Amino acid sequence: MKLRSDRLIPLYLLLAAAVLLFAALYQNTRSAEPPQVYNVSVLVQASGDRFAKGLEQAALDLNVDLRSVTSYTTYKRTEQLEYLRRELENQADAVVIYAEDSAAVTSFLNSQQSPVIVTYGRPLETLTSIHPHIGADDMELGRRLGEQIIHNEASFCLILLPLITDRTHSRRLEGLKAVLEENQLPFSVQIQETPARYQSYTESGQMAVAALDEALLVPMCEAAPQDALLFGIGFVDEARTSLANGRITGLVVFSEFEAGYLSLKAAVEMVKTGTAIDQQLEIYDVTVADMYQEPLVHVLFPIG
Amino acid sequence: MIKYFVNKIYHFYHESSIRAIVFLTFTIAALVALLMMGMTLFWQFSRQLSSNLSNENQSIVEYANRSLNSYLSNMIHLADSVSYGAVRNIDITSPDAGRQLELLYDANSNLIHNITLFSPACQVLATAPAGKPQADLSVADETWFTDALASTENLHFSPPVVEQFFAGTGEPYTWVIPLSCAAEYTEGKTSKTGVVLINLRYSGLADLFNDITLSDGGYIFLADSDGKIIYHPRHQLLAAGLAEEPGTMLAGQSGRHSEGRREIIIRSAGYTGWSVIAVIPLSRLTFDIQQNLLFLLAIMLMYFALLIWVNAFLSEKLTDPVKKLEQSVLDVESGHYPLEIYEGGSHEIQHLGHSIRQMTKLIQKQADDIAEERIHEQKSKLNILQAQINPHFLYNTLDIIVWFIEKQRYPEALQAVSALGRFFRLSLSQGKDMIVVRDELEHVRNYLTIQKMRYKNKFEFYIDAAEETLDKLCVKLVLQPLVENAIYHSIDFMTDNDGEIVISSRLDGDCLCLTVKDNGLGIAPERVPKLLSENATFSKGSGVGLKNVHERITLYFGKEYGVVIHSEPDVGTLVTIRMPVIPGPEKEEPR
């Protein structure tokens, strides 16, 4: 029996309604599902809690189950590798890492199957898998430091390097040297010096001492002559007093809070979309006059 | 375009069936009503939901504001305690100068980072907890210091800062909210006015708001009257430029504001001029159309399907009787009178059906009457025709003719044959109902001629016709039956041979009168009325009959015309035929 159109049309409408209802139920089911939680491990040893605060804020915003391993013992290179292996075996969705031993970490990661890695600070340039990198331009850090030194009319610059250097330090040194050479300021590059050794440089007039690693700031303050102009890259809480009382003339810093936040954000983005977004951190010049002013007060002392 | 659509609708209305029109009208009207009702309810529901959510959020903001006011009140009381309770009683020169401050600090250490008394010359006079100030400490340019000295009666809350005046406090850095006021203290015997600085822990203030949650995605922050953020759940992100907070522009403007896709509720905290600002995404305040769109569409389609079914059912029920009635009318139009005209449906349709049935019955009856009348007419004509060819008259006349011939009385035979022939020719008159009076008189003359021969001249007849009547029309064969009656019922019974029949025609006004008068036996008076009413049965004669003549005349012309009988026994009878004067044809047809 052939149905009339006024019987067929409601049937079609009911069919369409059933399809839409099914789609709506499916949509509601999907929306009712809890948001995805990302498991991200962070292997970064940072001084202070600035980087950690950035991580925590990002974890809150992006639904990240954060596992932070931030302290090592003396054998931090070996330990970090072990932590890295463990986190990858524990099915971490991504790992944020400040590689203590770039070569070893790169070699290990290259042997793994498509790990999601975000590098912070020290790039892993030979890492084969696509990965985002978060960090400041080391050469620019060096250049800005050099500009501060020139601006303060030093007549000589003693550049301090840590015992173990890597590409980060070499690039900073390169930038610093470029500025000093441009301004024809004599300089000397040394590994961390003892107080006695400093005396040999004092005859050069107004000496500037530049620490290319934040770990050298406090030793520099302790060892350098009182009349020396102290400069450095990075900031540690222990150097706060020295900066506040003028012992440190100037620092070149970047926001570790931003670094932590953007590292985790890049990790989540990599997991979600496979897109590697590098982030270059902004560089700031800090002196005693503005360390407690905005925006530097938030760079050095993140609120939260 | 409008005219085009109007024309389309017009043509559709006139070309579509009533069922289609009813169905579409019901469906469109119901759909429009459904949509309007749905939209109204949706709008009302959304508005109500939005209002409820907004009121709920407003309550939360009010609660937050009350909490803040309570906190500030406590801090103000603390400041008063410090200023008026501890500092005023302090002699700076005494060894226990800072003891009162220590006590107050200890009682409020969860909320206070430190308490410091400064001299007008910016020297640290006392501090709790004990601490060593920075060597080159200079607070002279600090806003909290200058404001306190400038406005000694007020307390001054400043935006959050990193505590920077004391070394060795045991914490890497602490964000504090400076609360400063002028305070009198004693130095020896001199009363001076210094500045009390109470660094409130930022975390103490943050804890007031951290646990407050608004509608999903909403948050509360604190700003001063200049829009500078005091507390924000994403303070650091704002400072780092990784987030934006446009709501600060509305700081100080208490009330509810809409800004793009957000609602902003602002309440002012007492004394400080700070604003508690709540930001709620508007999408969370309304029925989320996007999320529920598929569901809404599904429900609407289901309702629409139900609507169409119901309307189809209703329109069918309503219009089915009309269609059945229409079919009945179509049957009537095509001539197929149905056994039953449909009489169902609503009262009006039933009434229509009943009326149509009555009409068809009436039409049917009228058609039957017309048919019956025609049949009757045909029968009458046939009777007349049959009567005209009465075999007895014919036989008798032929007998006379044969006798005349046998007797070799050829002239009489010829006269009889001629009269017979003319008689029958006039009887037929080519089938006409009306002939001229001349022919009618000729017809009856021929009849009388024959009858006179038969009755051996037992009577005489005379025809007296007015000239003006000869060309008038009269009903055919009206005189002969009267003459026949006169012969058979009157003259025939006369014993002497002086019978006389006079036929005349004259005009009486607008009436044509044809009379037949005899001097026969007459008719008894009681019989006269019956002659025109009883069934004509004839034992002899041509068979047409007096009654037949009367009926034919009244049928033609009406009851005011017809046959009138006057009779007197033993005297005679006068029969008058009255007809209207009808002029005859201009040209006579050849006989």
Side-chain angles (χ1 to χ4, degrees), chain A residues 4 6 61 240 301 303, chain B residues 19 163 172 175 234 236 291:
Chain A
R4 297 197 323 233
D6 58 352
D61 289 349
R240 173 190 169 196
F301 314 109
I303 199 169
Chain B
R19 182 168 181 267
E163 203 288 317
W175 282 85
R234 295 162 69 83
Q236 183 60 34
Q291 188 175 355

Side-chain angles (χ1 to χ4, degrees), chain A residues 77-258:
Chain A
R77 293 187 171 201
T78 316
E79 285 180 31
Q80 189 182 58
L81 263 182
E82 193 52 41
Y83 287 138
L84 180 59
R85 188 193 312 277
R86 185 186 66 191
E87 293 306 314
L88 290 178
E89 285 174 358
N90 287 341
Q91 308 295 323
D93 292 325
V95 175
V96 177
I97 185 167
Y98 181 97
E100 299 296 338
D101 184 345
S102 302
V105 169
T106 303
S107 175
F108 171 75
L109 289 174
N110 282 338
S111 67
Q112 299 299 303
Q113 196 171 4
S114 305
V116 177
I117 298 294
V118 176
T119 56
Y120 163 61
R122 287 182 183 150
L124 302 177
E125 289 165 349
T126 56
L127 184 59
T128 52
S129 62
I130 297 171
H131 63 281
H133 175 71
I134 313 299
D137 184 343
D138 289 310
M139 187 168 289
E140 182 63 21
L141 284 168
R143 289 191 63 85
R144 294 275 284 269
L145 188 63
E147 287 167 6
Q148 279 195 26
I149 295 169
I150 298 300
H151 177 73
N152 281 276
E153 300 177 347
S155 56
F156 173 78
C157 182
L158 176 63
I159 302 172
L160 301 179
L161 286 174
L163 281 168
I164 302 172
T165 61
D166 56 24
R167 186 167 166 72
T168 300
H169 301 107
S170 60
R171 288 182 60 81
R172 290 178 183 180
L173 179 61
E174 189 180 337
L176 174 58
K177 283 165 69 175
V179 171
L180 296 179
E181 285 169 355
E182 284 170 15
N183 292 274
Q184 298 172 339
L185 183 71
F187 62 86
S188 175
V189 181
Q190 300 294 337
I191 305 302
Q192 181 178 345
E193 292 286 19
T194 62
R197 290 290 304 277
Y198 275 103
Q199 294 303 320
S200 62
Y201 304 107
T202 56
E203 296 170 0
S204 306
Q206 179 69 70
M207 180 173 71
V209 183
L212 294 191
D213 192 287
E214 61 189 21
L216 299 175
L217 289 177
V218 173
M220 176 183 68
C221 291
E222 290 172 352
Q226 290 300 313
D227 59 348
L229 301 175
L230 304 184
F231 300 88
I233 293 177
F235 180 77
V236 293
D237 291 332
E238 292 78 1
R240 173 190 169 196
T241 306
S242 300
L243 180 63
N245 62 19
R247 176 75 172 118
I248 297 176
T249 304
L251 295 173
V252 178
V253 301
F254 54 86
S255 173
E256 291 182 68
F257 177 90
E258 277 186 51

Side-chain angles (χ1 to χ4, degrees), chain B residues 122-137:
Chain B
C122 305
Q123 285 178 318
V124 175
L125 301 176
T127 182
K132 184 181 175 185
Q134 295 289 338
D136 55 351
L137 175 66

Side-chain angles (χ1 to χ4, degrees), chain A residues 4-11 13-14 16-18 20-21 23-24 27-28 31-32 49-50 53 57 61 237 240-241 244-246 255 257-258 261-262 282 284 288 292 294-295 297-304, chain B residues 19 23 134-136 160-167 169 171-175 202 228 230 233-237 239-242 290-295 297-299 301-302 304-306 308-309 312-313 315-316:
Chain A
R4 297 197 323 233
S5 60
D6 58 352
R7 301 278 193 269
L8 281 176
I9 292 174
L11 279 176
L13 287 175
L14 278 179
L20 286 175
L21 204 58
Q27 188 184 52
N28 281 342
S31 65
D49 60 356
R50 283 172 291 278
K53 284 181 176 176
Q57 182 68 55
D61 289 349
D237 291 332
R240 173 190 169 196
T241 306
N245 62 19
S255 173
F257 177 90
E258 277 186 51
Y261 189 90
L262 293 174
E282 190 175 346
Y284 303 89
V288 62
Y292 291 114
E294 292 196 5
V297 68
H298 287 285
V299 173
L300 300 177
F301 314 109
I303 199 169
Chain B
R19 182 168 181 267
F23 170 75
Q134 295 289 338
D136 55 351
V161 294
V162 172
E163 203 288 317
Q164 54 182 285
F165 300 132
F166 291 90
T169 56
E171 295 173 15
Y173 64 88
T174 306
W175 282 85
Y202 178 84
K228 188 174 173 60
I230 305 297
R234 295 162 69 83
H235 199 160
Q236 183 60 34
L237 286 177
L242 296 174
Q290 236 175 352
Q291 188 175 355
N292 295 280
L293 184 62
L294 291 177
F295 181 73
L297 280 176
I299 295 297
L301 285 177
M302 284 167 63
F304 194 32
L306 182 66
I308 290 178
W309 257 330
F313 174 77
S315 61
E316 189 173 347

